[in-house]
Amino acid sequence: MELNEFDQSDKLARAQKKVKELKGFYIHLLVYVLVNLFIMTITIMGIMSGGASFSEALFNIGTISTPFFWGIGLVFHAAKVFGFNPFFSKDWEQRQISKYVEQEERDAEKYR
């Protein structure tokens, strides 16, 4: 009976951790949108006050650099939260573990 209660407690803790990570991502996304809208508005207005057109101001490197680089960080945050990892998947981890276990067994056989 205690094992079942432990399993339920463990599942609840993992679910709570997942919800906390998801909430953190959505807060990050909201801050990203709001702050970048503000920064882009100020930057575009400043560039346009210098005589540039709206399209020139919008596609200026200074206008899009902050959202671009912050967006890269946001993509990595999303990949972590939603479990997207093309390089080190669970299958890759399992293959590496199996490889090292087999190597340890072969090395142990050498000394018997």
Side-chain angles (χ1 to χ4, degrees):
M1 187 69 168
E2 289 179 24
L3 184 60
N4 190 21
E5 290 174 14
F6 179 75
D7 287 342
Q8 293 296 329
S9 173
D10 191 40
K11 288 178 184 178
L12 178 63
R14 284 193 310 254
Q16 288 173 334
K17 181 181 178 206
K18 184 69 176 173
V19 168
K20 185 177 179 180
E21 289 174 352
L22 193 59
K23 181 181 175 184
F25 170 73
Y26 287 135
I27 290 171
H28 186 184
L29 180 63
L30 178 66
V31 169
Y32 170 82
V33 169
L34 295 176
V35 169
N36 282 301
L37 279 174
F38 177 75
I39 290 172
M40 288 179 72
T41 302
I42 298 300
T43 305
I44 289 170
M45 288 172 52
I47 293 171
M48 286 177 64
S49 70
S53 69
F54 177 75
S55 62
E56 289 173 335
L58 181 62
F59 296 110
N60 184 312
I61 189 71
T63 305
I64 60 173
S65 62
T66 301
F68 177 76
F69 290 111
W70 189 350
I72 291 171
L74 188 65
V75 166
F76 281 108
H77 190 174
K80 179 183 177 284
V81 169
F82 294 109
F84 178 71
N85 191 348
F87 304 110
F88 302 113
S89 64
K90 292 291 183 190
D91 184 47
W92 177 85
E93 288 180 14
Q94 193 58 42
R95 286 193 316 265
Q96 294 301 314
I97 289 169
S98 298
K99 181 176 87 172
Y100 289 118
V101 167
E102 290 171 10
Q103 183 179 352
E104 288 289 327
E105 289 173 354
R106 284 193 305 266
D107 290 346
E109 287 297 319
K110 289 181 188 177
Y111 300 108
R112 285 189 178 178

